[in-house]
Amino acid sequence: MHMANEVLTLPVAGALGAAAAGGLALAAAKARRDLDERRAPLLGVLGAFVFAAQMVNFPVLPGTSGHFVGAALLAVVLGPHAAALGMAAIVIVQCVVFQDGGLLALGANLVNMALAGPYAAWLAFRAIAPAGRPAIRARLYLAAFLAALASILAGALLVPLEVAASGICRVPLSVFLGTMAGIHTLIGAAEGVLTFMVLAALARMRPDLLPGAPAAAGGLPLRAVAGSVALAALLVAGFLSLAASGAPDGLESTLDRTQALDTERPNPAAEAAGHAGGAIALLPDYSGPGGAWYWTSVAGVCGVLLVLGLGAAGARALRGRPAAPHGHAHHH
Amino acid sequence: MHHLSVDTYAAMESPLHRLDARVKLAAALAWTAAAVSEGRLEIAGLLPYLVPPLALLLVSGVPAGFVLQRILIVSPFAILLAGTAALFEPGPVTATAGPWTATVRGGLVVGASILLKFLVSTLALLLLATTTRLSRLAGAMSALGMPRLLAMQVTILYRYLFLVVDEMERRKRAAAARTVGTAGAGAGARAAGSQLASLFARSLERAERVNQAMAARGFDGTPPRTSGERLRAADVVFLAAMLSLAAGLRLRALWL
């Protein structure tokens, strides 16, 4: 998801540009040390691969498809610094050649997609599958899944924060955050499964390319997949109910603030409301009394738990019958 | 994948094409910054920002139809943002246009302003992209402080993009030719996974061959220094004109 020029203010765009410049300079220095100097063209060619891979669509839900993003895969195979440079090259070409995201927003897009994505992926992967320790397939799957999910979510969650910090497009933060997080958890889950499948296929074809990750060849570990999908469903429900519950409160608070802006007709009540909102302008919609958003989220999560529980019970009842359709997906 | 039109136009000849890439990059950035920093309820004040880019478009000889098509292609996100702004800000504002005044929904004004800013900044970016080759633009970025390693990745990525995308297309066509009807979601994901993995492995092998070829031609790991282009008089005049125009428009409150 590319950030746009027109909803950023200069200070925010400038700060993000400086952060991107600093971060990429550090990444370049580190990558230079990690990568053999003569292997420098590697990143560019792999960047071209990620670009091409983004053209492969896969089904997310019936009727919707997502595409591969690739930050997690690059981070696992090349390490975070080189992956950051590779993703940065992609973001720059997307901006200049395809006009995805603006020139002024380039810093924001580099921070979101070239820095946050690869480093979040790397941290998540290493937290679950530490280097140099052999891991079973299910653990490697979870590591790849969470790495991909973290890389997608990190980038997606920065967008609403940057928009809110700029204050040009005044969408209630909880609505924007919840919607972005909900949708991108779905995308991240698909990216996670795909990232593992690419890693597993690579381990089969070219194990020498995966110095860090032990052999993970083989099919999908079904139990881990089921667990990760359930986790993703929970997250989606939680995020989306947060978005839904934030909407009315947020609408009121923006209404108040816009009226308070209208200085021609001073309105003490609206002005007071505007000040109340302004005091915590970064999280305007959290100011509502009673924290109703919190309980709606809890209700949403409980609903999903209930549905999942019913589904699991149904599956167990079905599996009670002889021909268990479990084993055949394991062999490949 | 056909050679991109952006590239075809970047190889044309015009006074704008001949300008130094650093100068054009700085001008596009300054122009975008000036327009984007206008107030969030500004509409009329944004219109003058469209005039110089449109005049430069005429000078460059890049077809306006192509530019319009690119703007439409990238517009959905800007339209989404503008629509969201319109939705979430119902508070009324008073708009004046000459003798007429009207009270309108504030969000509509914000949305229109967002769309205009999008138009100005995309126009500036397209002018830059259609009059400057990517290799020169990458050189300009590294001259303005981007790590040279990254600038090199940008040019290599762009050089190999077409090859790798073509290979991907061939793979997709072959897979479609082998698949009768529609595969289930599981089979589809598995096929996508192994397609990606083999493309990844082949890209790595290609990168290794490129490394060897470059090493054989004397590449020692230092990215080539971008030719130390000298700024010509035309470059300086263009940059000064664009910067003062941008500053003049942005600070018009001081002199109007």
Side-chain angles (χ1 to χ4, degrees):
Chain A
M1 161 132 226
H2 286 84
M3 186 62 158
N5 286 327
E6 53 273 14
V7 286
L8 286 177
T9 52
L10 281 192
V12 174
L16 287 165
L24 285 173
L26 275 180
K30 293 253 187 190
R32 199 171 263 285
R33 220 173 34 198
D34 285 359
L35 279 181
D36 174 6
E37 288 263 309
R38 267 169 298 180
R39 288 178 69 210
L42 184 73
L43 290 178
V45 180
L46 285 185
F49 156 77
V50 170
F51 226 114
Q54 296 185 345
M55 299 169 85
V56 183
N57 287 310
F58 55 82
V60 177
L61 285 174
T64 50
S65 62
H67 72 74
F68 191 60
V69 175
L73 181 66
L74 285 190
V76 172
V77 177
L78 300 173
H81 312 304
L85 283 189
M87 292 304 292
I90 293 171
V91 171
I92 290 171
V93 171
Q94 278 173 339
C95 168
V96 177
V97 181
F98 297 92
Q99 295 89 41
D100 279 333
L103 208 49
L104 199 68
L106 185 58
N109 283 318
L110 286 170
V111 168
N112 299 354
M113 287 184 278
L115 291 174
Y119 284 101
W122 176 252
L123 288 178
F125 190 85
R126 276 288 163 253
I128 312 249
R133 216 186 303 163
I136 56 166
R137 203 148 45 96
R139 182 182 278 266
L140 283 177
Y141 167 80
L142 279 183
F145 181 88
L146 290 177
L149 188 61
S151 76
I152 302 275
L153 274 182
L157 293 184
L158 283 171
V159 170
L161 294 177
E162 289 155 2
V163 170
S166 294
I168 288 177
C169 185
R170 289 184 188 157
V171 184
L173 186 59
S174 74
V175 175
F176 204 172
L177 265 182
T179 313
M180 287 290 281
I183 292 171
H184 284 83
T185 303
L186 275 181
I187 296 174
E191 172 98 1
V193 175
L194 210 56
T195 300
F196 173 78
M197 290 180 123
V198 175
L199 284 174
L202 269 182
R204 198 171 61 235
M205 289 188 280
R206 293 282 308 268
D208 57 305
L209 295 179
L210 298 170
L220 286 170
L222 284 189
R223 255 171 224 221
V225 173
S228 67
V229 169
L231 173 74
L234 272 179
L235 285 175
V236 170
F239 289 137
L240 287 186
S241 52
L242 172 66
S245 63
D249 290 358
L251 263 175
E252 279 161 34
S253 83
T254 32
L255 175 70
D256 289 344
R257 264 185 294 149
T258 351
Q259 280 172 345
L261 274 177
D262 190 356
T263 46
E264 285 176 357
R265 288 172 291 127
N267 176 346
E271 219 150 62
H275 283 309
I280 29 172
L282 203 63
L283 298 164
D285 30 303
Y286 285 74
S287 58
W293 61 272
Y294 175 80
W295 289 109
T296 324
S297 289
V298 171
V301 168
C302 288
V304 169
L305 277 178
L306 190 67
V307 171
L308 277 177
L310 285 177
R316 188 161 292 214
L318 284 178
R319 211 184 296 152
R321 308 204 173 143
H326 200 77
H328 82 274
H330 267 300
H331 69 77
H332 209 61
Chain B
M1 188 180 186
H2 289 293
H3 216 47
L4 286 168
S5 325
V6 167
D7 241 16
T8 321
Y9 298 127
M12 295 192 327
E13 264 297 304
S14 85
L16 201 55
H17 284 77
R18 279 192 292 275
L19 287 176
D20 189 286
R22 288 167 292 181
V23 163
K24 281 186 274 188
L25 180 61
L29 205 55
W31 201 257
T32 307
V36 164
S37 65
E38 290 280 353
R40 58 192 291 274
L41 294 172
E42 189 63 60
I43 290 183
L46 281 167
L47 294 174
Y49 284 98
L50 287 169
V51 178
L54 288 174
L56 287 174
L57 187 65
L58 280 181
V59 172
S60 74
V62 175
F66 168 74
V67 170
L68 188 66
Q69 183 198 349
R70 285 305 313 173
I71 289 179
L72 285 179
I73 288 175
V74 292
S75 63
F77 186 49
I79 292 174
L80 181 75
L81 284 170
T84 318
L87 188 68
F88 280 101
E89 252 179 84
V93 294
T94 307
T96 55
W100 300 284
T101 59
T103 306
V104 293
R105 191 183 167 90
L108 288 179
V109 178
V110 175
S113 177
I114 286 178
L115 282 182
L116 269 176
K117 286 176 180 174
F118 161 77
L119 206 57
V120 171
S121 58
T122 311
L123 207 52
L125 177 56
L126 269 164
L127 263 180
L128 174 69
T130 53
T131 63
T132 319
R133 288 168 185 274
L134 188 77
S135 52
R136 290 185 64 195
L137 205 49
M141 286 180 169
S142 93
L144 297 178
M146 187 167 87
R148 274 198 293 159
L149 186 59
L150 180 54
M152 191 172 87
Q153 303 312 325
V154 171
T155 53
I156 291 178
L157 187 162
Y158 195 58
R159 184 160 301 166
Y160 287 95
L161 178 60
F162 301 93
L163 281 173
V164 179
V165 168
D166 275 348
E167 192 165 337
M168 189 76 235
E169 293 287 329
R170 284 198 297 277
R171 254 149 225 275
K172 280 168 77 174
R173 205 177 311 136
R178 286 193 299 267
T179 314
V180 179
T182 48
R190 218 167 14 247
S194 64
Q195 264 183 37
L196 285 178
S198 69
L199 189 68
F200 188 85
R202 297 212 15 158
S203 302
L204 273 171
E205 282 157 11
R206 188 190 293 279
E208 283 158 11
R209 286 198 303 277
V210 172
N211 283 331
Q212 287 167 1
M214 286 172 74
R217 285 162 182 78
F219 178 68
D220 61 351
T222 18
R225 183 172 286 285
T226 40
S227 54
E229 287 179 73
R230 278 267 190 84
L231 289 186
R232 290 170 307 133
D235 298 323
V236 179
V237 170
F238 174 79
L239 185 61
M242 292 310 286
L243 289 185
S244 44
L245 252 177
L249 273 175
R250 184 65 190 89
L251 304 173
R252 64 190 174 282
L254 298 182
W255 52 271
L256 271 184

